[in-house]
Amino acid sequence: MTTVTLITKADCHLCEVAREVIEAVVAELPDAAADAISLEELPIESDPRLQERWWDKVPVVFVDDDLLGHWRVAPDRLREALLARA
């Protein structure tokens, strides 16, 4: 199972865009690959360590434990990372 983790904060337009990009990329993958992906959202406000590390970089996206990026999600980069794990 591959986990995509999205660190978000309240009222964050870029977080909504990032979620949409992630969902669109997963929807385009072959069924077997898409079925092996889970999306986990972590609200940054819930963890002081997340706030300290990522507050000014939200949204932040990890694929498993690997940082994919922050602020904007590149669909091609995400697709490549997910297919590499499939």
Side-chain angles (χ1 to χ4, degrees), residues 18-34:
R19 183 180 310 106
E20 291 170 3
V21 169
I22 293 166
E23 290 172 351
V25 168
V26 170
E28 294 170 356
L29 295 175
D31 289 343

Side-chain angles (χ1 to χ4, degrees), residues 4-17:
V4 177
T5 303
L6 175 61
I7 300 174
T8 64
K9 63 180 160 183
D11 301 319
C12 170
H13 173 71
L14 288 178
C15 297
E16 294 171 20
V17 172

Side-chain angles (χ1 to χ4, degrees), residues 33-47:
D35 290 344
I37 296 169
S38 68
L39 174 60
E40 173 185 42
E41 287 194 37
L42 297 176
I44 199 165
E45 298 90 351
S46 68
D47 186 333

Side-chain angles (χ1 to χ4, degrees), residues 65-85:
D65 292 326
D66 298 327
L67 175 64
L68 183 74
H70 51 82
W71 295 318
R72 300 209 185 272
V73 179
D76 292 340
R77 190 165 176 220
L78 175 60
R79 186 177 302 103
E80 182 180 305
L82 294 175
L83 288 174
R85 288 166 169 80

